């Protein structure tokens, strides 16, 4: 499994890995009157009349505030969740991840804190598979494990890049919009080509490959807050291979109002053992 940017990629991997999480079914609506559809170039498709303005650019503009790195976020799907904050002013970030549940062969919880130049992770592993891991006793479960920056430099599993602060990669995802229409005040719907979503950190490459040609037309909905900033992005992934259809939902809130992450108490910190780095490599 791969963790990208603040660990959100770990969640993304879990969201579409049957061994770690149950698959959630996507939902849809029927019987509604279709809204005019605008292609990525801003011209109307045959299914609707021309619409003034470029809906794709309008939606792209809603992701600009994310790059300022001061917000809270969530990422959820298929029974796995992540929530956290990014606070660029203090060069800090925090993330809590939960993958799998009590009935899973392997369930994982991570509490990750970055406060430049330091990083810590607290790990909880449960389930039959976890109990069979030879090194589980060396992982200092229940403690915050201080990470050696030299060992995680460039590591997509445990590192964090404050130049790429978007945990779900929504700005990259929205670049792949192939069709979009306004469905109301501050709401959009359409399709996204997710073939570059592995770069965004929202989906893993194996899932994108399994989608085949469907990856180029994944349905999505989006919501924008009253200030014109992206507040929600939902992908409706179709069934692919052994994986059922599922929904992946990302939210953003508290733009400009997030607070700095809190460093763990000194008496709760130990140095991370070699086994921890091996687990995530």
């Amino acid at each position: 499994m791969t963790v990208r940017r603040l660990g959100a990629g770990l969640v993304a991997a879990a969201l579409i890995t049957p061994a770690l999480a149950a698959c959630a079914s996507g939902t849809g609506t029927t019987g509604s009157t279709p809204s005019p559809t605008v292609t990525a170039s801003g011209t109307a498709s045959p299914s609707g009349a021309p619409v003034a303005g470029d809906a794709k650019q309008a939606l792209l503009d809603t992701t600009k505030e994310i790059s300022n790195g001061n917000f809270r976020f969530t990422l959820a799907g298929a029974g796995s969740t992540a929530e956290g904050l990014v606070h660029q002013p203090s060069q800090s970030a925090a993330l809590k991840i939960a993958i799998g549940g009590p009935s899973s062969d392997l369930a994982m919880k991570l509490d990750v804190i970055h406060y430049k130049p330091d990083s810590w992770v607290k790990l909880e592993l449960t389930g039959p598979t976890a109990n069979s891991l030879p090194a589980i006793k060396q992982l200092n479960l229940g403690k915050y494990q201080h990470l050696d920056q030299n060992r995680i430099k460039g590591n997509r599993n445990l590192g964090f890049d404050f130049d790429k602060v978007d945990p779900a990669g929504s700005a990259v995802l929205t670049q792949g919009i192939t069709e979009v229409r306004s469905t109301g005040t501050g709401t959009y719907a359409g399709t996204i080509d997710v073939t570059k979503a592995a770069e965004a950190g929202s989906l893993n490459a194996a899932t994108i490959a399994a989608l085949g040609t469907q990856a180029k037309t994944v349905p999505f909905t989006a919501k924008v807050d009253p200030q014109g900033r992206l507040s929600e992005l939902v992908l409706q992934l179709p069934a692919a291979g052994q994986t059922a259809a599922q929904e992946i939902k990302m939210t953003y809130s508290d733009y400009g109002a997030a607070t700095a992450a809190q460093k763990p108490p000194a008496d709760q910190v130990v140095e991370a053992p070699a086994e921890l780095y091996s687990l995530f490599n």
Side-chain angles (χ1 to χ4, degrees), residues 236-261:
Q236 298 289 351
L237 297 184
Q242 300 299 311
T243 305
Q246 59 190 290
E247 175 183 284
I248 295 181
K249 180 178 179 180
M250 308 153 222
T251 70
Y252 299 87
S253 62
D254 290 348
Y255 284 106
T259 56

Side-chain angles (χ1 to χ4, degrees), residues 108-153:
M108 178 183 294
K109 291 183 179 180
L110 295 101
D111 184 348
V112 187
I113 300 172
H114 298 281
Y115 210 120
K116 201 171 182 178
D118 293 300
S119 298
W120 303 265
V121 60
K122 183 164 69 173
L123 176 67
E124 179 182 335
L125 296 170
T126 57
T129 300
N131 295 332
S132 67
L133 290 174
I136 193 167
K137 292 182 179 179
Q138 282 73 48
L139 292 177
N140 293 305
L141 303 183
K143 293 277 190 177
Y144 284 95
Q145 302 180 64
H146 181 255
L147 302 171
D148 181 343
Q149 295 298 310
N150 290 324
R151 299 185 73 169
I152 66 172
K153 187 176 182 180

Side-chain angles (χ1 to χ4, degrees), residues 16-200:
I16 38 65
T17 303
L20 290 180
C23 298
S25 297
T27 58
T29 58
T30 57
S32 59
T33 303
S35 300
T37 301
V38 182
T39 62
S41 63
T43 58
S45 74
S47 62
V51 176
D54 186 338
K56 178 181 179 179
Q57 187 58 51
L59 191 52
L60 288 174
D61 289 344
T62 71
T63 68
K64 290 181 178 179
E65 185 66 23
I66 296 173
S67 64
N68 289 331
N70 191 334
F71 56 85
R72 293 184 179 273
F73 69 92
T74 67
L75 176 61
S80 298
T81 62
E83 62 177 337
L85 63 88
V86 178
H87 191 253
Q88 183 75 285
S90 64
Q91 294 277 275
S92 69
L95 174 70
K96 293 183 184 294
I97 302 171
I99 299 170
S103 61
S104 303
D105 287 338
L106 174 63
M108 178 183 294
K109 291 183 179 180
L110 295 101
D111 184 348
V112 187
I113 300 172
H114 298 281
Y115 210 120
K116 201 171 182 178
D118 293 300
S119 298
W120 303 265
V121 60
K122 183 164 69 173
L123 176 67
E124 179 182 335
L125 296 170
T126 57
T129 300
N131 295 332
S132 67
L133 290 174
I136 193 167
K137 292 182 179 179
Q138 282 73 48
L139 292 177
N140 293 305
L141 303 183
K143 293 277 190 177
Y144 284 95
Q145 302 180 64
H146 181 255
L147 302 171
D148 181 343
Q149 295 298 310
N150 290 324
R151 299 185 73 169
I152 66 172
K153 187 176 182 180
N155 186 320
R156 292 176 63 182
N157 293 333
L158 297 173
F160 178 71
D161 186 350
F162 278 96
D163 291 326
K164 298 177 180 178
V165 295
D166 185 358
S170 295
V172 175
L173 281 173
T174 51
Q175 290 286 344
I177 289 173
T178 51
E179 240 180 17
V180 60
R181 62 188 180 277
S182 173
T183 56
T185 302
T187 60
Y188 297 86
T191 57
I192 292 182
D193 179 350
V194 299
T195 55
K196 294 184 178 180
E199 176 187 346

Side-chain angles (χ1 to χ4, degrees), residues 202-251:
S202 302
L203 298 174
N204 71 11
T207 297
I208 295 169
L211 287 171
T213 56
Q214 296 181 105
K216 294 186 176 294
T217 54
V218 171
F220 81 92
T221 59
K223 294 181 180 179
V224 177
D225 70 14
Q227 290 72 42
R229 305 166 301 197
L230 183 68
S231 60
E232 179 183 289
L233 179 64
V234 179
L235 303 180
Q236 298 289 351
L237 297 184
Q242 300 299 311
T243 305
Q246 59 190 290
E247 175 183 284
I248 295 181
K249 180 178 179 180
M250 308 153 222
T251 70

